Amino acid sequence: MRLAKYLKLSMIVLFVLMIGSACQNNQEGGLDGYISLDELTDLSEKGNTLDWSDLNKYSFEDTGSGLYIRNYPIEGGRQLVLTGRSLESPPERVYVINQSGKELDFNPDNLSEWSR
């Protein structure tokens, strides 16, 4: 009888741990999981040398199928998007999508448009 109680208790603890780990947030970016505008400015200064690994610490959504398309949330409801055929090569295209859905090239010259 005592063994059955311990077995039930063990199963309940295991179940609670499994649910807790499934609900865990794996975002590695800032507290809100987005890239700040200051960080975005620093990243834009890398220009054509920006690489996938430069964004390893930020959370992203992978929306590609057969092509890597990673959407990184930016402060203020914007997104930084990187696309490419391989994570071993530099991204083929990098751009920002503003709140209205407009795509802007990712370079320091467009900084004023990102913050709108």
Side-chain angles (χ1 to χ4, degrees):
M1 186 73 165
R2 187 171 229 173
L3 181 60
K5 286 183 180 181
Y6 285 124
L7 185 57
K8 282 183 183 179
L9 180 60
S10 297
M11 294 301 287
I12 290 171
V13 169
L14 181 62
F15 182 72
V16 168
L17 289 173
M18 286 174 42
I19 289 190
S21 66
C23 295
Q24 195 172 21
N25 187 346
N26 290 326
Q27 294 179 342
E28 296 180 23
L31 293 176
D32 295 325
Y34 61 81
I35 301 171
S36 72
L37 290 178
D38 290 337
E39 292 170 312
L40 190 66
T41 301
D42 293 342
L43 289 169
S44 73
E45 291 171 1
K46 289 183 172 268
N48 292 336
T49 64
L50 183 73
D51 196 33
W52 302 97
S53 62
D54 294 324
L55 296 159
N56 281 345
K57 70 178 186 174
Y58 303 108
S59 61
F60 63 89
E61 180 183 0
D62 191 354
T63 59
S65 177
L67 182 68
Y68 289 95
I69 303 173
R70 290 187 173 179
N71 300 328
Y72 296 86
I74 301 170
E75 173 184 358
R78 302 161 195 84
Q79 291 184 17
L80 175 63
V81 182
L82 280 73
T83 65
R85 295 173 205 237
S86 169
L87 296 177
E88 305 303 318
S89 304
E92 294 173 15
R93 184 162 182 234
V94 181
Y95 57 97
V96 172
I97 300 177
N98 67 12
Q99 296 98 325
S100 65
K102 183 178 177 183
E103 294 180 6
L104 306 165
D105 289 330
F106 187 63
N107 59 51
D109 298 335
N110 287 337
L111 179 60
S112 63
E113 291 198 43
W114 297 339
S115 55
R116 289 185 197 170

